């Protein structure tokens, strides 16, 4: 390879790395109703949506709903987080006609020891830009519910057992 080819290749690699590093990211530190830490969710902006990576502990075993809620607050027993994030006006339910909210995400399964790891991609959400940015003027929160989501128009999710405010990391 010529010296000029090496310089161009190195410069191009630097531009690609810089562009990847410039993508916004976010994170949520989740707490249970008792105030104890239950884990974290890292959120990485992709080219057409966001990747969620959750590492959780201290939850009741079984299936639980996992949603992005419309307000970045976990006050008032997590009620301050508001409803599911739905800037597009869609109804609820990944499997429902007229659904889903941008904040409707797949259920998570908690193992017998109270731990869970989950990873999924949402093409409906973005960290900071687009039609469904989680970092809008009032922010957003991750909420885990008592029950599994039905994926239909009535979520059936039950009470809120964990909450974390989403904060932008870069």
């Amino acid at each position: 390879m010529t010296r000029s080819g090496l310089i161009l290749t190195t410069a191009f690699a630097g531009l690609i790395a810089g562009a990847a590093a410039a993508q916004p990211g976010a994170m949520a530190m989740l707490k249970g109703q008792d105030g104890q830490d239950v884990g974290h969710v890292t959120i990485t902006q992709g080219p057409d949506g966001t990747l969620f990576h959750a590492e959780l502990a201290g939850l009741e075993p079984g299936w639980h709903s996992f949603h992005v809620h419309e307000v970045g607050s976990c006050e008032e027993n997590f009620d301050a987080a508001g409803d599911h994030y739905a800037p597009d006006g869609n109804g609820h339910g990944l499997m429902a006609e007229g659904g889903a909210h941008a904040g409707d995400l797949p259920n998570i399964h908690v193992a017998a020891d109270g731990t869970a790891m989950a990873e999924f991609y949402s093409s409906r959400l973005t960290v900071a830009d687009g039609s469904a940015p989680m970092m809008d003027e009032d922010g957003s929160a991750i909420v885990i519910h008592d029950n599994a989501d039905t994926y239909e128009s009535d979520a059936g999710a039950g009470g809120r057992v964990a909450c974390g405010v989403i904060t932008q990391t870069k």
Side-chain angles (χ1 to χ4, degrees):
M1 177 179 287
T2 67
R3 185 169 198 278
S4 62
L6 179 60
I7 291 170
L8 284 174
T9 301
T10 304
F12 182 70
L15 286 172
I16 297 298
Q23 290 293 328
M27 144 169 270
M29 302 299 293
L30 279 73
K31 293 194 179 285
Q33 287 284 354
D34 60 2
Q36 295 296 311
D37 292 338
V38 296
H40 66 275
V41 178
T42 55
I43 304 165
T44 306
Q45 181 67 55
D48 297 311
T50 52
L51 178 66
F52 291 80
H53 176 86
E55 295 183 24
L56 308 166
L59 297 170
E60 288 294 316
W63 287 99
H64 297 273
S65 302
F66 187 97
H67 300 124
V68 173
H69 281 241
E70 63 187 345
V71 179
S73 176
C74 291
E75 300 299 318
E76 303 166 24
N77 295 321
F78 310 150
D79 288 339
D83 294 326
H84 297 173
Y85 184 45
D88 53 11
N90 284 0
H92 175 271
L94 291 171
M95 303 298 286
E97 188 173 327
H101 298 318
D104 288 342
L105 297 171
N107 292 325
I108 59 168
H109 186 266
V110 177
D113 67 357
T115 64
M117 291 185 76
E119 197 167 77
F120 38 86
Y121 193 83
S122 171
S123 61
R124 294 184 306 276
L125 292 165
T126 60
V127 171
D129 297 319
S131 61
M134 292 176 281
M135 301 308 305
D136 60 9
E137 62 273 354
D138 59 1
S140 299
I142 300 283
V143 175
I144 297 174
H145 293 267
D146 271 328
N147 305 320
D149 193 306
T150 64
Y151 299 139
E152 298 298 331
S153 58
D154 179 12
R160 299 171 185 206
V161 298
C163 183
V165 174
I166 299 171
T167 58
Q168 194 163 347
T169 57
K170 47 180 161 171

